Amino acid sequence: GDSITQLSFSASDCGWGSYVADRYQRRADVLNRGFSGYNSGWFLRFAATHEGKADLFEHEGVILVTIFFGANDASNPVLNERQHVPLETYKSNIRDIVSLARSNFGRDVNIILITPPPVCHEGRLRFQKERYKERATGKLERTLELSGNYAEGVREVANELGIPSLDLWTKMQFTPSGDEREDWREFLSDGLHLSASGNKFVGESLLALIHQLLPGLSVKPCPETGNINSSSPSEIQRIGPWHDEIDHTQPDKAFFRAKD
């Protein structure tokens, strides 16, 4: 992904990647491969280099990949020609990234496409003034309409390839019944990137989608404590015995089983 993925490990903003990693503690590691400022085309170019191939694909046991581009691709082609990617090219790039994931991690690797989030115009203009002061143009290089077009492109590619998608553009703005959320703009720190509440929303939404469509990869927290422990059901094998599986009088039984 782009900066929204790179920043997903942010401690100050309660990043959504950290939120997901917390759920998978002692079962799976979450690797963050977000590249701030990148569009889908630049990512593909990086993936074609020796450095990119080693960094992105030399990992064993990958079971799920999220692909989250579009915030930069959907820039206005006149006001931000540098990062803009035409919609049809963007869709083709997403297909190519899916193909790379499958060719490197296996045809059965699970993939989730994530749409770009909505854009808050007031937040973007406020960010301009705060960052650029008198040099602020007052023009929107990213808009809600453009991000919506690219979100639709992601949905189309997901349907075409038969893989799940997380439609953040719609989900962040509207309730399941179709009513507009009054507070959706609070999910964005500068009209584009995620705030702490936005990161939590994305983390919760992604985990809910996994539970719904990929139940074999789901981890549910302990219903009593909310923690990840021996009462957290999942088909993913835990690493190391849980502490309440260890008999203090015969601890070796928990650590050295017959198969070991």
Side-chain angles (χ1 to χ4, degrees), residues 131-148:
R131 179 167 181 176
Y132 299 108
K133 306 285 190 299
E134 67 278 357
R135 293 185 292 116
T137 65
K139 298 178 181 179
L140 290 166
E141 86 292 358
R142 293 170 172 84
T143 68
L144 183 63
E145 179 181 5
L146 284 171
S147 61

Side-chain angles (χ1 to χ4, degrees), residues 199-210:
N199 272 300
K200 183 179 180 182
F201 182 90
V202 173
E204 290 177 341
S205 299
L206 181 56
L207 291 174
L209 182 69
I210 292 171

